Amino acid sequence: MFIQVALNLPVEELFTYRVTGRESHKPEVGKRAIVPFGPSNRLQTGIIVSVSTSPPEGNFEIKEVFDIPDPYPLFTETLFRLAEFVSRRYCSSLGEALFRFLPGAFIVEEKVRVSPLKPQKPLTPKEEELHTLISSFSSPVSVSFLRRKFGGSSLNAYLKRLVEKGAARLNTQLKPGGPPKEKWVRYLKEGKCGPKGRELLNLLKKHGELPLKHLTYFGFSRGVIENLRQKGLIQITEKESLLPPPPPSLSPRGTTELTQEQKAVLESLFKYRGIHLLSGVTCSGKMEVYLHAARRAVDSGNSVLILVPELLLTPELQSRIESLFGTNYALYHGGLTPAQRASVWLKALKGEVPLIVGTRIAVALPMKNLGLIVLDEEQDPSYKEQQKPYYHARTVAVKRSELEKVPLLLVSATPSVESYYRAKRGEFLFHFLPSRVTRIPPPKVELVDLKKERKRVGIFSEKLLSALERAVNSGGQALLFINRRGYSHKIICPNCGYTLNCKKCGVPVTYHKEKKCFICHLCGTRYKLIFRCIKCGQRLEFTGYGTERVTQELKLLYPNWKIERFDLDTVKTYKDANRLIKLAVEGKIDVIVGTSIAVKGHNLPNLTFLGILIADQLTGPPDYMGAERAYQAIVQAIGRVGRFKPGYAVVQAFNPDFYPIKYAVTGQFHTFYEEELSYRKLFNYPPYTLGAVIEVEVPETQKSKLKELYAAMKKLPSQEVSKPLPLPNGKTYSIFIKLKSDTLLPKIKQLLSRFKVTYKIDVEPIKIP
DNA sequence: AGCACGCCGACT
DNA sequence: GTCGGCGTGCTC
């Protein structure tokens, strides 16, 4: 028998191995196969893609499988097809897609260790150096550790020579990958034992089986347990480890009754097993709808996936889930250890958890009896993977819904233009909740033209300051939203116009007053602080506003207020965020100055005022998605205020007539999307086309090749190609293409491989350079 | 992606 | 002869 396996390599080919029959388990599609690979036959983990009885054609040696460690497949049939889809649409190999989804703990690798011997032949200086390095460790040292200390690529060649000269010996060990194991203790039979043993035996008799670590926690020493085991009264077994306990939450709230409007959405969701887009005004109870839907699906014996953006696994959401599901759910996100992720993966596979709440990577969990997928805040950019394969979890969820015939509910107050368009075309079923479920009126929003404001204190308009004072003086809290960290982001010489740019990225750096340095926000590089122009010696001017400067100026204006900054510099973890939220809830903060992370998800019950300082900035980098980002950011920010108390918002802008700002402030949902769509259509931008960014690496000596490639790309049918844009590193060029269909992607790949250039394709990009 | 191999130029 | 720096080509 033969198996074809997909390895985690950027090549299309599958690799064939011979099955000997000595493997732990029989070959089956979706199981792992541990196979020798490459000239050194290093063991690697592959996924079995097909099993056949006849050998493949072609002239190559067929090696034997080392082992098949899984009693059952780790990938379900549909998951396999989903991975195939991801590899096709995002231009990766099947193996890369499968291994992106599979938790790292399942990967078995060979670990090579080196021990020193007495050299039989004279060594060269370099070999001598390596030999003494190896000898300096008391036990055999791993090659991967050695590689970090010694020159990367040349290490293997030297190691080989050391082995040839008898100066070193290699031994390989298999790092066991697989389900994390945990020891459990089981009651077997009654018998004679001491008092402590008696106590333990009774406990086990009552419970049948308990985790070993619980027993040691309750004060039973290893000795007692071992004694009982020796007598054959108890048995120690290994089980796949428990789920990590969900983090503690706020007190759960009772379930709420749905309104007529909400119920209608719920009914429709279970009638039409396709894709639904749920939108609505803030506080219209969208979350309640999908939580009830999840509850219903679980009650009828199905499992449910709820996908949330990276920063949305908030205590708020957790407490609401707990009020409906208790602790019978699991979390799945990048913050878990590989073993924890593997554990959730297996529970999903066996159908042991009815509900999993997770980030984008959870879209490919092997759910048993999947009955519903929910994707909350569907416009959120964190659904886009930034590593190969660069998949978009929303697109993958749509595909999964089609493959498994399971309803998918996309949820957002500010849907992506893409989803709005597809709903408009009838591909998605559109639902809109027009009314608030609370008695609290929507916040009053006012737009201030910063150009016309004469009575400005720095960046603060008179209207904003008086509203801010009113809010704080009447015991409320205020949130000032500015989408920039740091102090100032424009550093310019007033004499010669010289600006300080990042050496790697070419973009202006930001002055961080507290950290006493300049930081490039694109790549994170830090630069030494200077105050005089390096060209002419003039004193540099620091203009533009960031959270640091706003906080400082506000403190000068209101020295008695408690003002806190909420951005990636001050809040790095959930813990930091929760601490700050707690302070705010306890009323120990008057004003929060924050970036978009302060606006996301967190509920501040006492928030009565919101100020957006410079709405124009919310477009972000200058590309076709700017208006969409600005609209979404403004609506979301306004949505923070007036949830629990009547609120007020002031939006400041230099161009208040810019349509995303105007329509966000006035709440003209459809008008915004229709206008945005008209521009997208005019310039053939997504969603009218499929966008992709191609980065090609062209050596400086072969610039003509780039021209030829560009010309060839333009000749391909039904698409638009932008001019290659050189990236700051000098040899990579970025090309943005608008495709009429994804069937053109293979053609583009063909073309690129014909030109023999190294390249990277990002389909459905969220940022274009 | 690794990794080997081969070719080159630099330095003893 | 040794060393290090790339470009190239392959992996069942």
Side-chain angles (χ1 to χ4, degrees):
Chain A
M1 245 201 301
F2 301 90
I3 54 170
Q4 268 89 258
V5 300
L7 296 170
N8 192 8
L9 300 175
V11 289
E12 301 283 330
E13 290 84 13
L14 298 174
F15 296 86
T16 308
Y17 288 85
R18 189 188 311 279
V19 180
T20 61
R22 292 187 301 270
E23 298 81 13
S24 307
H25 296 278
K26 69 176 170 68
E28 249 185 290
V29 174
K31 287 181 180 180
R32 287 172 299 165
I34 315 303
V35 294
F37 187 73
S40 55
N41 282 326
R42 240 170 50 92
L43 291 181
Q44 289 217 10
T45 305
I47 306 295
I48 304 176
V49 171
S50 65
V51 184
S52 59
T53 46
S54 54
E57 288 174 28
N59 189 24
F60 46 76
E61 179 207 0
I62 297 178
K63 296 179 183 173
E64 286 181 359
V65 183
F66 177 77
D67 196 22
I68 298 168
D70 298 320
Y72 48 82
L74 293 181
F75 287 93
T76 60
E77 172 67 30
T78 34
L79 216 54
F80 236 92
R81 294 217 270 150
L82 199 65
E84 264 165 18
F85 166 76
V86 166
S87 68
R88 238 182 302 121
R89 157 150 276 223
Y90 299 100
C91 301
S92 76
S93 69
L94 178 61
E96 284 172 306
L98 289 167
F99 281 93
R100 161 72 39 227
F101 294 139
L102 189 72
F106 286 115
I107 293 168
V108 179
E109 270 176 334
E110 200 168 20
K111 225 179 167 183
V112 184
R113 286 174 179 278
V114 204
S115 26
L117 296 173
K118 208 169 157 36
Q120 303 298 309
K121 290 175 190 167
L123 303 178
T124 68
K126 202 69 195 178
E127 287 164 4
E128 189 63 52
E129 189 193 321
L130 181 59
H131 187 256
T132 42
L133 180 63
I134 295 168
S135 309
S136 70
F137 300 97
S138 52
S139 54
V141 58
S142 84
V143 172
S144 50
F145 179 79
L146 221 50
R147 184 156 300 144
R148 262 172 274 146
K149 295 224 148 195
F150 201 77
S153 58
S154 52
L155 176 73
N156 281 22
Y158 286 115
L159 268 182
K160 199 178 162 190
R161 268 148 60 186
L162 280 189
V163 174
E164 275 164 14
K165 290 183 178 178
R169 192 183 35 172
L170 303 179
N171 50 46
T172 53
Q173 281 174 309
L174 213 51
K175 179 198 133 214
K181 290 279 163 63
E182 192 178 48
K183 286 197 171 110
W184 282 62
V185 183
R186 176 186 293 176
Y187 171 81
L188 281 183
K189 61 176 187 209
E190 197 51 54
K192 249 185 96 144
C193 54
K196 198 77 187 168
R198 179 82 269 156
E199 203 185 318
L200 174 58
L201 204 61
N202 285 341
L203 189 74
L204 285 171
K205 208 151 111 187
K206 202 165 133 202
H207 292 277
E209 201 172 11
L210 286 170
L212 182 68
K213 66 172 181 219
H214 285 198
L215 295 182
T216 43
Y217 177 80
F218 287 129
F220 296 104
S221 66
R222 267 239 61 115
V224 182
I225 298 164
E226 185 53 28
N227 185 266
L228 290 188
R229 195 189 69 82
Q230 295 254 321
K231 285 180 180 152
L233 307 180
I234 58 168
Q235 186 190 22
I236 295 174
T237 53
E238 282 207 330
K239 277 192 172 186
E240 280 156 18
S241 89
L242 281 174
L243 290 178
S249 67
L250 309 171
S251 55
R253 269 188 249 159
T255 55
T256 42
E257 188 70 13
L258 294 187
T259 64
Q260 271 326 100
E261 285 166 355
Q262 289 173 318
K263 274 183 190 157
V265 178
L266 196 67
E267 291 313 318
S268 154
L269 187 61
F270 288 103
K271 239 177 254 158
Y272 171 59
R273 301 175 75 77
I275 298 139
H276 300 250
L277 173 61
L278 172 60
S279 191
V281 297
T282 39
C283 286
S284 55
K286 297 183 287 293
M287 189 190 272
E288 225 47 53
V289 172
Y290 75 67
L291 288 179
H292 274 80
R295 181 71 256 180
R296 193 200 274 197
V298 168
D299 286 344
S300 57
N302 287 314
S303 66
V304 173
L305 251 182
I306 296 181
L307 303 174
V308 292
E310 234 148 39
L311 292 159
L312 242 152
L313 287 167
T314 54
E316 161 80 9
L317 176 66
Q318 276 182 41
S319 84
R320 292 178 79 166
I321 288 171
E322 267 174 44
S323 66
L324 281 158
F325 293 91
T327 52
N328 201 10
Y329 74 99
L331 298 176
Y332 193 77
H333 53 85
L336 301 180
T337 65
Q340 289 172 327
R341 274 208 247 170
S343 174
V344 178
W345 182 279
L346 291 174
K347 299 255 166 188
L349 196 64
K350 295 180 195 159
E352 289 171 9
V353 210
L355 170 66
I356 297 181
V357 184
T359 54
R360 61 173 179 273
I361 195 87
V363 76
L365 276 171
M367 307 296 287
K368 196 178 177 185
N369 289 328
L370 185 62
L372 172 71
I373 310 172
V374 176
L375 208 136
D376 196 9
E377 298 289 336
E378 67 90 36
Q379 85 295 345
D380 197 280
S382 74
Y383 284 118
K384 175 76 177 170
E385 180 66 65
Q386 293 297 344
Q387 275 170 288
K388 205 180 173 192
Y390 305 89
Y391 68 90
H392 199 302
R394 194 208 305 136
T395 310
V396 179
V398 167
K399 186 69 190 180
R400 187 163 188 178
S401 159
E402 287 167 11
L403 283 173
E404 301 202 43
K405 310 259 185 306
V406 149
L408 164 67
L409 182 60
L410 304 172
V411 184
S412 177
T414 52
S416 58
V417 172
E418 168 93 31
S419 294
Y420 179 91
Y421 173 71
R422 295 182 71 174
K424 191 185 160 181
R425 296 209 338 163
E427 290 175 51
F428 300 171
L429 194 57
F430 186 66
H431 311 273
F432 193 86
L433 296 175
S435 39
R436 292 163 71 91
V437 288
T438 59
R439 291 227 180 85
I440 294 132
K444 288 201 168 47
V445 190
E446 240 173 303
L447 189 55
V448 170
D449 188 340
L450 283 172
K451 288 196 307 280
K452 289 185 187 149
E453 271 285 319
R454 289 281 156 249
K455 285 194 216 158
R456 239 166 67 188
V457 185
I459 196 66
F460 309 111
S461 67
E462 200 185 13
K463 205 166 238 161
L464 186 133
L465 285 183
S466 62
L468 180 66
E469 285 170 23
R470 240 185 298 133
V472 174
N473 290 338
S474 58
Q477 272 163 354
L479 174 63
L480 294 184
F481 178 28
I482 176 138
N483 203 23
R484 271 211 173 88
R485 291 182 289 131
Y487 190 87
S488 114
H489 59 272
K490 250 182 225 148
I491 296 134
I492 189 167
C493 170
N495 186 35
C496 66
Y498 172 79
T499 57
L500 269 172
N501 291 339
C502 174
K503 287 191 181 90
K504 280 188 220 160
C505 311
V507 299
V509 295
T510 302
Y511 168 43
H512 282 245
K513 198 169 189 177
E514 250 169 44
K515 292 181 183 163
K516 297 189 179 66
C517 62
F518 299 121
I519 300 176
C520 168
H521 283 186
L522 264 188
C523 66
T525 314
R526 290 177 178 219
Y527 295 92
K528 237 185 95 184
L529 212 53
I530 50 163
F531 290 103
R532 292 199 172 271
C533 177
I534 52 163
K535 289 260 168 68
C536 63
Q538 246 317 315
R539 213 175 157 77
L540 290 166
E541 251 175 36
F542 292 67
T543 59
Y545 281 83
T547 46
E548 258 187 298
R549 182 164 175 191
V550 170
T551 310
Q552 184 190 314
E553 292 191 0
L554 210 61
K555 278 182 178 164
L556 284 175
L557 285 170
Y558 307 103
N560 297 326
W561 287 4
K562 284 155 283 180
I563 302 164
E564 288 286 337
R565 226 166 79 212
F566 193 153
D567 57 24
L568 275 179
D569 293 323
T570 55
V571 176
K572 290 191 184 70
T573 60
Y574 285 108
K575 230 171 141 186
D576 296 335
N578 288 339
R579 189 178 41 82
L580 216 91
I581 302 291
K582 197 168 164 248
L583 278 180
V585 170
E586 287 167 357
K588 288 176 181 158
I589 297 178
D590 295 315
V591 186
I592 293 175
V593 177
T595 57
S596 54
I597 62 156
V599 175
K600 264 190 187 168
H602 311 288
N603 266 341
L604 300 165
N606 206 22
L607 194 72
T608 54
F609 177 71
L610 170 94
I612 298 179
L613 292 169
I614 311 167
D616 317 68
Q617 274 182 358
L618 299 175
T619 50
D623 58 40
Y624 72 91
M625 290 166 275
E628 182 178 358
R629 282 189 294 260
Y631 175 81
Q632 288 164 347
I634 296 167
V635 174
Q636 269 181 40
I638 294 172
R640 288 294 104 204
V641 76
R643 293 176 89 93
F644 306 99
K645 285 181 181 178
Y648 186 70
V650 169
V651 178
Q652 304 189 136
F654 286 101
N655 294 296
D657 291 330
F658 187 39
Y659 67 100
I661 299 176
K662 194 168 64 186
Y663 297 141
V665 166
T666 53
Q668 288 169 277
F669 181 90
H670 291 285
T671 320
F672 167 73
Y673 284 97
E674 291 302 327
E675 185 158 343
E676 178 62 15
L677 279 176
S678 72
Y679 295 128
R680 300 280 182 97
K681 187 169 190 180
L682 192 61
F683 297 107
N684 275 325
Y685 276 120
Y688 294 93
T689 50
L690 176 66
V693 173
I694 302 176
E695 277 176 26
V696 280
E697 231 175 83
V698 185
E700 274 159 84
T701 50
Q702 302 177 35
K703 271 201 146 180
S704 58
K705 204 171 177 177
L706 184 70
K707 274 190 186 152
E708 284 169 45
L709 177 68
Y710 177 50
M713 278 174 90
K714 280 210 286 198
K715 273 196 200 132
L716 287 174
S718 60
Q719 61 179 40
E720 267 179 54
V721 188
S722 76
K723 272 225 168 71
L725 192 83
L727 296 183
N729 75 12
K731 56 178 181 178
T732 25
Y733 291 81
S734 155
I735 302 168
F736 183 65
I737 52 169
K738 303 173 200 164
L739 303 160
K740 279 276 145 63
S741 139
D742 61 358
T743 52
L744 281 161
L745 285 167
K747 289 212 174 73
I748 288 171
K749 277 208 310 195
Q750 258 174 34
L751 191 71
L752 286 162
S753 53
R754 192 149 53 79
F755 273 82
K756 293 196 194 304
V757 282
T758 35
Y759 63 90
K760 192 177 110 175
I761 304 183
D762 182 359
V763 183
E764 291 177 82
I766 49 160
K767 54 179 179 214
I768 57 180

